[in-house]
Amino acid sequence: MHGTGRTVFSGGRIDEFQVEILGVLDNIGPKESIILARLSGGPLEQTGVMQGMSGSPVYIDGKLVGAVALGFAYSKEPIAGIRPIEDMIRPASTRAAAAARRTPIALADSDFTRGIPRPEPATAAGAQMADIATPLSFGGFTRATLETFAPQLRALGLEPRQGMSSGAKLDPAMGNPANLKPGSMISVELLAGDYNVGADGTLTYIDGNHVYAFGHRFLDLGVTSMPFALSDVIALVPNTNTSFKLSAPREWMGAINLDGNTAVSGELGKRAVMVPVSLAVWRGSTRIETYQMQMVDDPLLSPLLAQMAVFSTIDSTERSVGAATVRVTAEIQFQNGSPPVRIRNMFASDNGSAMQASISTAFPLAYVMQSGFDSLRLKSIDLRIEAFDQKKELAIDGISVARREVRAGDKVRLNVSLVGENGAETLRQVEYQVPIGAEPGILYFTVSDANTANLTDFRQTLGANPRSAAQLISTVNNLHPNNRAYVRVWRTDPAFQ
């Protein structure tokens, strides 16, 4: 049995390719079957099945049967799995069930993709058949950013690449929906502006104002809101591993409102809710760079996108101006008038400041957005990164007390020794008054950095469900900033606070 497929190989022109049906793989998943086919025609003999072809519609006798969606790694022939169209358009409630599961963020988390479901490959004739990886085009980011986050992104079925995204340059008006046809190249824009991130794939089916694409999950986020644009293919890049299309968005078309495990779907002419993000870089009293962008408002994606933007900015700043220390301050505003979340931390460049600073920015955002309070919708994010020539870092070297024995009501003077650059020593003194009526016994004093103090003081609070949005924001704003050392007084008596 033979059919034809449609996709874009160059520019915006939709070309046909040939499809030879090899058979049907039944029950490769729960109530899931895949049509196995050999593709030919156009450049496919040289490129094989390409990243970016996901969603390319396949027709037999003029009837739409499904979309190119899966492939074999390192296959010598363009063998593809075709997702039946019935599976792509079945009711959303059955497709988004897996995306409804959410894993709460933990204080020690540094991987903000942990809550996103991982793709599950299928097995055919002893070989693994997986969703064709979704090309994720990055514009404006440093190479180190892509290299750092690539392992996390690939685990999600994405393939990060330096791309030609130009979301900031698109006319804000919606394009002509007549330009969009089955087989058209589209880009789901996650970040648009001075930084750009876009996921590329192919449109499968148009039903009135509703569109279906990709033929597999993007991230299985469930209900969401992400703008998508009609794109042009700039070049095809053959690769011994997996070939891919290099594309650039041309005009806005609508919004993706559902990311299920068999397709993404959306609506033509609808505008996705985006969050304005401003990121300013300062050196002393001089602002040296400003980045403006629009970011998707999604509990799982927004923290990761913010983290990558901060990482790239600090990485670029350290390389261009040689900053020894960076200070990151941020204000996260909400639409309902809730108090803003404020962040203020400093990092030394030789201790991985780009990663540390990006985590310190993304964690409060993830904790708030994934808390389950629907009223906390993002309004804006303002970030300020300050670069300093001097290394503003001190390490805790030791602690001593002036007296070994005191009475209730007496003061204990603590001497904290701090060591800085080139062995420079600084002595700080802190006084603690023993409460009147304190029981006899041993008092312990611990001096620590902010991370240790936060783990000690807020582990239970952050692990519990907050009662209100106000309590949630208060908890985040009370996290200790890392530009201080913290003294903790404790006893072995569990009742002592």
Side-chain angles (χ1 to χ4, degrees):
M1 186 180 297
H2 292 78
T4 59
R6 296 175 186 172
T7 198
V8 176
F9 292 127
S10 178
R13 187 185 71 247
I14 298 174
D15 293 314
E16 288 193 348
F17 57 91
Q18 283 65 57
V19 179
E20 179 188 355
I21 304 300
L22 302 177
V24 176
L25 303 176
D26 291 318
N27 299 319
I28 66 167
K31 296 184 178 181
E32 184 178 357
S33 299
I34 291 294
I35 303 167
L36 193 64
R38 178 183 287 109
L39 312 184
S40 60
L44 294 176
E45 185 176 346
Q46 290 76 36
T47 64
V49 181
M50 290 179 284
Q51 294 174 3
M53 284 188 70
S54 295
S56 299
V58 173
Y59 302 85
I60 296 178
D61 296 330
K63 180 183 177 181
L64 176 64
V65 296
V68 174
L70 298 94
F72 293 100
Y74 305 106
S75 175
K76 295 181 179 180
E77 293 187 70
I79 306 294
I82 298 172
R83 176 89 60 190
I85 188 62
E86 294 82 6
D87 290 349
M88 293 179 61
I89 62 176
R90 69 174 181 243
S93 59
T94 60
R95 289 198 283 119
R101 298 190 295 269
R102 291 289 180 259
T103 304
I105 192 77
L107 183 59
D109 275 353
S110 58
D111 181 359
F112 297 98
T113 68
R114 192 168 64 91
I116 301 175
R118 266 47 178 174
E120 298 177 359
T123 301
Q128 280 198 336
M129 173 174 270
D131 293 346
I132 299 169
T134 302
L136 198 64
S137 299
F138 285 77
F141 289 82
T142 63
R143 181 177 296 275
T145 304
L146 271 67
E147 292 173 351
T148 300
F149 290 93
Q152 298 176 31
L153 297 172
R154 289 190 178 116
L156 299 175
L158 308 176
E159 186 58 46
R161 304 190 186 283
Q162 286 283 5
M164 303 178 65
S165 296
S166 56
K169 301 175 184 177
L170 297 185
D171 189 325
M174 285 289 169
N176 183 358
N179 294 335
L180 196 66
K181 297 178 176 62
S184 293
M185 191 79 180
I186 65 169
S187 177
V188 180
E189 295 293 307
L190 311 179
L191 197 63
D194 294 320
Y195 284 130
N196 300 279
V197 180
D200 299 328
T202 302
L203 185 74
T204 306
Y205 177 56
I206 302 175
D207 181 14
N209 285 333
H210 296 282
V211 296
Y212 301 85
F214 283 26
H216 55 65
R217 51 169 266 158
F218 168 44
L219 291 171
D220 203 4
L221 298 172
V223 177
T224 186
S225 180
M226 301 180 287
F228 76 93
L230 176 63
S231 296
D232 290 328
V233 174
I234 307 302
L236 305 180
V237 182
N239 191 290
T240 54
N241 181 2
T242 304
S243 303
F244 60 94
K245 298 180 181 183
L246 190 63
S247 66
R250 186 204 313 171
E251 55 183 338
W252 297 115
M253 282 291 159
I256 297 298
N257 51 36
L258 182 67
D259 175 18
N261 63 349
T262 59
V264 299
S265 59
E267 187 175 339
L268 289 171
K270 185 175 181 179
R271 291 196 179 277
V273 177
M274 302 289 280
V275 179
V277 178
S278 175
L279 204 164
V281 181
W282 292 74
R283 188 179 183 117
S285 59
T286 304
R287 183 164 59 183
I288 59 176
E289 194 63 79
T290 301
Y291 300 86
Q292 302 289 343
M293 63 209 89
Q294 298 283 323
M295 180 179 71
V296 295
D297 185 8
D298 184 90
L300 295 176
L301 278 179
S302 298
L304 176 63
L305 294 168
Q307 182 190 15
M308 291 190 294
V310 171
F311 183 100
S312 182
T313 301
I314 293 176
D315 179 59
S316 175
T317 301
E318 289 177 346
R319 293 172 186 272
S320 61
V321 302
T325 304
V326 293
R327 175 162 58 207
V328 179
T329 56
E331 185 170 281
I332 303 170
Q333 297 276 357
F334 301 96
Q335 294 181 8
N336 65 346
S338 296
V341 167
R342 293 187 171 90
I343 302 167
R344 184 180 178 89
N345 286 300
M346 294 185 72
F347 303 91
S349 60
D350 60 355
N351 286 331
S353 62
M355 179 55 73
Q356 293 180 32
S358 65
I359 290 173
S360 77
T361 303
F363 172 79
L365 185 60
Y367 181 68
V368 170
M369 295 189 72
Q370 296 170 22
S371 64
F373 290 100
D374 293 336
S375 59
L376 290 177
R377 307 299 301 178
L378 290 178
K379 181 179 179 181
S380 65
I381 300 177
D382 291 310
L383 291 151
R384 176 182 173 122
I385 296 175
E386 297 174 78
F388 299 93
D389 293 330
Q390 305 86 8
K391 186 178 179 182
K392 297 177 177 288
E393 181 184 50
L394 295 173
I396 301 169
D397 187 54
I399 178 174
S400 62
V401 292
R403 291 193 293 166
R404 308 296 295 185
E405 293 185 3
V406 293
R407 297 179 180 274
D410 289 352
K411 291 183 178 179
V412 180
R413 179 178 296 172
L414 306 174
N415 300 308
V416 181
S417 175
L418 305 170
V419 178
E421 186 79 348
N422 298 320
E425 293 187 4
T426 300
L427 186 66
R428 299 288 174 85
Q429 293 185 335
V430 180
E431 285 191 343
Y432 170 75
Q433 184 168 13
V434 181
I436 296 174
E439 294 290 332
I442 299 176
L443 285 177
Y444 296 89
F445 296 88
T446 303
V447 181
S448 67
D449 63 358
N451 286 338
T452 305
N454 283 328
L455 283 169
T456 303
D457 294 345
F458 295 99
R459 185 188 298 273
Q460 289 185 337
T461 303
L462 291 173
N465 292 324
R467 299 192 188 111
S468 65
Q471 182 191 35
L472 174 74
I473 293 174
S474 175
T475 298
V476 173
N477 284 335
N478 284 328
L479 289 172
H480 304 303
N482 74 345
N483 57 353
R484 296 181 181 182
Y486 297 88
V487 179
R488 183 175 181 82
V489 186
W490 55 283
R491 296 178 70 164
T492 54
D493 181 358
F496 179 82
Q497 297 293 329

